[in-house]
Amino acid sequence: GGTVLAGRKAMILAALAFGGAALWLTLPREGTPAGFIPYLDARVVAQGARIYEAHCAACHGENLEGEADWEIRRPDGRLPAPPHDETGHTWHHPDAQLFFMTKYGVAPLVGEGYQSDMPAYEGVLDDAEIIAVLAFIKSRWPEEIRHWHNDLNRLTDSGG
């Protein structure tokens, strides 16, 4: 019941916190105001653009626009691929959560039984490649959105 679900959510949050902290400690943070996504590093962003084109653009769009009607469930109950630009909700999630969803898929975060067309990229992309894709995506957001996202990262980094 609810206790099991609460326990799972607590474990996921702990894993996110630990994973985010581990990545934060191991990744270069030069030029990154908050979080661990190095969106100001042109080399990483260029690598992320290439990986995004190869693995993400088919669903999320060449310009991060997502699929049409992305907020409306299809007949199979699944949602279309959301945009990763400022019109979507990607920037509503801190770095650790974005990394976790990309690496392990959405279902472990949302809950058992959740179905999504979003594949888990564990075993397909390594951690640095996932981070490069996230850097590319974040580099494309307007400055105001990036500022808001950095504030979100500061809050989650401090446990707020």
Side-chain angles (χ1 to χ4, degrees):
T3 305
V4 171
L5 184 56
R8 279 196 190 119
K9 285 185 179 181
M11 286 185 345
I12 289 170
L13 289 173
L16 284 173
F18 176 76
L23 282 168
W24 185 88
L25 291 170
T26 60
L27 293 172
R29 294 182 50 90
E30 182 177 331
T32 304
F36 58 79
I37 296 174
Y39 67 93
L40 296 174
D41 184 326
R43 182 188 54 78
V44 175
V45 168
Q47 177 193 18
R50 290 188 299 275
I51 298 165
Y52 179 90
E53 177 62 33
H55 293 277
C56 313
C59 295
H60 292 284
E62 300 246 342
N63 295 306
L64 296 103
E65 72 274 14
E67 293 180 313
D69 300 320
W70 65 275
E71 295 179 290
I72 300 170
R73 291 197 183 277
R74 297 184 307 234
D76 66 2
R78 297 176 181 205
L79 289 167
H84 288 314
D85 63 12
E86 70 276 7
T87 67
H89 57 76
T90 307
W91 53 275
H92 295 194
H93 304 284
D95 288 1
Q97 196 174 57
L98 293 173
F99 178 85
F100 184 93
M101 285 189 285
T102 307
K103 184 168 183 169
Y104 301 110
V106 180
L109 190 63
V110 177
E112 270 186 51
Y114 184 82
Q115 295 191 4
S116 172
D117 290 333
M118 172 70 183
Y121 281 92
E122 182 178 34
V124 176
L125 300 175
D126 66 29
D127 291 358
E129 290 171 321
I130 292 170
I131 291 167
V133 169
L134 296 173
F136 165 69
I137 291 168
K138 185 169 181 173
S139 77
R140 303 276 307 272
W141 297 340
E143 187 60 37
E144 180 180 330
I145 298 295
R146 288 194 308 247
H147 178 75
W148 189 94
H149 190 251
N150 288 335
D151 286 346
L152 174 65
N153 281 316
R154 279 186 201 92
L155 286 172
T156 58
D157 284 349
S158 66

